[in-house]
Amino acid sequence: MIELEGLPELVDPVMICAFEGWNDAGDAASSAVGHLDREWKGEVFASLDAEDYYDFQVNRPTVTLHGGVRKVTWPTTQLSAVRIADADGKGNPRDLVLVRGIEPSMRWRSFCNEILGFAHELGVELVVLLGALLGDTPHTRPVPVTGVTSDPELAVSMDLEETRYEGPTGIVGILQEACTHAGVPTASLWAAVPHYVSQPPNPKATLALLNRLDDLIGVRIPLGELPEDARAWQVGVDQLAAEDTEVAEYVQTLEEARDTAELPEASGEAIAREFERYLRRRDPGAGPYLRDLSGPQPLTEREEPRAPEEHDGDGEDGGGTDTAEGAGEPEEDGAGKDSGTDGDDGDTAAAEGPEHSDGSEGSDGADRSAGEDASEESDADAGDDDGKRPGRDDDGKRPGGDGDGEAGGKD
């Protein structure tokens, strides 16, 4: 049964859910939703009936005093709405539906159906579930956050991993599958919390979840004091670890394993993602950045080298792809040495022969080529069988005569 206090009319809503309990190591996920609720002053519009889903011997109610009056607070799940006045940097608003509660003790399918009922009625376009788990990760490194989905198309469009997990699951996993079967786009973000310091709160993991959520939904999230809290948390854990030699050695082992495993990531997609977030925070209205840098670029110029007259003469080697035709014709300014030093053009140096591998004969070769250019094409039969001299392309000109080398050696 739902207690409804005025269902709001929302604009392009995204539902963000987190539940205390098994899916909430260090209270990182529930704290993230709580942070959003505080920063944007969410208004509670519905709560699920505690009698239907909770065992009060497991999740006991609490008693508080307000002005001498005792008040009982029952464990439950509440839904609140927040409006972001300028979500895209262009003055367009967007709403979030925040679902925060405790993992239910019973009737999980009915629980999920109630959440889905709200999602359908509110016109929710995307459901994002937040979770945190204990892992072998050092507290001194950035918190790993994994984004997963059961929808293959959503995995591609939102740069998520398609889930392959098998084993026990919590309400986050059940709700994700329920949303997927109901046709509601759904993703979950999981932060890994160091298992040796699992006590809540963990502001560093909460901050990591919010940063990843920022990337996922494209809404700039105010972080408030979280960055400072995260730094203070890490300093405190550093001091505790330094007092125990075994813990310090264990942390060092985790650091080495983490650095070795993520060395390629540190120089690729992770840097691009962090720089993109930095640019977006400077200019909230700007679109995605650096997405094309995550994969190899098309090598169209390698397949069809440009004619020599199209080069601008910056001195780079242009003979990387025409090794057979360009052998033995060093550049007039000695730039032919580049084909021997450039890692991509190492075969060119071998084709030129030992007298050209170090560029020592470059000037003589340039004089000869200058004299040959002044002569008629009648002596071209001294080259290859088709009447062309070595080192000339289809129009009888030397590749790279002026060239900047874009067509050959570099992408």
Side-chain angles (χ1 to χ4, degrees):
M1 186 177 190
I2 297 178
E3 301 173 10
L4 192 59
E5 300 175 3
L7 195 64
E9 185 175 346
L10 306 181
V11 178
D12 300 329
V14 175
M15 179 177 280
I16 302 172
C17 311
F19 303 94
E20 300 175 18
W22 198 65
N23 300 131
D24 194 25
D27 290 352
S30 58
S31 296
V33 175
H35 175 85
L36 297 177
D37 191 67
R38 289 189 302 273
E39 290 292 326
W40 280 318
K41 297 178 174 59
E43 297 182 3
V44 176
F45 63 87
S47 60
L48 277 62
D49 192 340
E51 290 282 350
D52 292 338
Y53 305 113
Y54 294 101
D55 180 349
F56 298 139
Q57 290 182 329
V58 176
N59 298 290
R60 292 185 177 274
T62 58
V63 178
T64 56
L65 289 175
H66 295 275
V69 179
R70 295 170 63 86
K71 180 180 178 181
V72 177
T73 302
W74 299 91
T76 187
T77 294
Q78 293 183 330
L79 289 83
S80 59
V82 298
R83 170 152 296 184
I84 308 170
D86 186 14
D88 59 357
K90 300 179 181 179
N92 297 320
R94 188 173 195 179
D95 290 312
L96 301 181
V97 178
L98 304 180
V99 181
R100 184 187 182 193
I102 304 172
E103 183 179 66
S105 306
M106 63 194 83
R107 302 181 63 195
W108 282 18
R109 285 177 289 189
S110 297
F111 181 89
C112 293
N113 286 337
E114 284 212 54
I115 301 296
L116 277 171
F118 279 111
H120 285 301
E121 191 167 356
L122 295 170
V124 168
E125 299 179 345
L126 174 69
V127 175
V128 181
L129 303 162
L130 304 183
L133 50 85
L134 299 178
D136 293 330
T137 181
H139 72 278
T140 55
R141 297 293 184 266
V143 176
V145 178
T146 304
V148 298
T149 181
S150 299
D151 186 343
E153 295 182 0
L154 196 65
V156 174
S157 63
M158 302 194 74
D159 191 24
L160 301 169
E161 297 181 15
E162 191 173 352
T163 180
R164 293 287 186 267
Y165 173 75
E166 294 179 325
T169 189
I171 193 61
V172 170
I174 298 300
L175 183 55
Q176 177 172 338
E177 290 305 305
C179 291
T180 300
H181 289 306
V184 180
T186 310
S188 60
L189 303 178
W190 290 89
V193 173
H195 67 87
Y196 58 89
V197 56
S198 59
Q199 297 84 356
N202 189 322
K204 187 173 182 178
T206 297
L207 179 63
L209 279 172
L210 291 175
N211 283 332
R212 186 69 174 88
L213 180 64
D214 185 311
D215 294 337
L216 188 68
I217 64 177
V219 173
R220 183 176 180 180
I221 298 174
L223 300 177
E225 298 180 357
L226 263 180
E228 184 62 32
D229 292 343
R231 284 191 290 269
W233 176 87
Q234 180 165 326
V235 170
V237 178
D238 285 341
Q239 294 174 349
L240 292 175
E243 296 173 359
D244 190 318
T245 304
E246 293 184 0
V247 173
E249 292 177 353
Y250 179 66
V251 171
Q252 183 178 1
T253 301
L254 293 178
E255 290 173 342
E256 294 172 354
R258 172 77 178 273
D259 293 343
T260 301
E262 296 193 354
L263 184 60
E265 175 77 4
S267 60
E269 183 67 18
I271 293 177
R273 188 163 52 245
E274 289 297 324
F275 188 54
E276 179 180 338
R277 184 185 300 117
Y278 164 74
L279 293 175
R280 186 167 59 251
R281 288 187 177 279
R282 291 190 60 188
D283 182 8
Y289 297 90
L290 303 180
R291 288 300 183 194
D292 294 336
L293 297 184
S294 59
Q297 303 299 307
L299 304 181
T300 54
E301 294 192 22
R302 283 185 179 270
E303 300 169 0
E304 297 181 1
R306 290 169 21 186
E309 58 268 24
E310 298 179 10
H311 295 251
D312 57 10
D314 65 359
E316 292 186 7
D317 177 29
T321 58
D322 295 331
T323 304
E325 293 182 0
E329 288 287 340
E331 305 296 336
E332 296 183 12
D333 58 356
K337 293 186 290 183
D338 292 346
S339 60
T341 58
D342 195 302
D344 294 336
D345 301 329
D347 294 341
T348 307
E352 289 180 348
E355 66 274 20
H356 292 286
S357 61
D358 61 356
S360 61
E361 293 296 325
S363 59
D364 294 342
D367 294 338
R368 288 199 301 272
S369 62
E372 289 164 355
D373 287 342
S375 65
E376 299 294 332
E377 290 295 323
S378 60
D379 59 351
D381 56 352
D384 30 17
D385 294 338
D386 58 359
K388 298 178 183 177
R389 293 185 56 79
R392 299 179 184 274
D393 49 20
D394 293 341
D395 58 359
K397 299 178 181 178
R398 290 184 298 107
D402 302 328
D404 60 2
E406 290 183 5
K410 297 183 183 298
D411 295 346

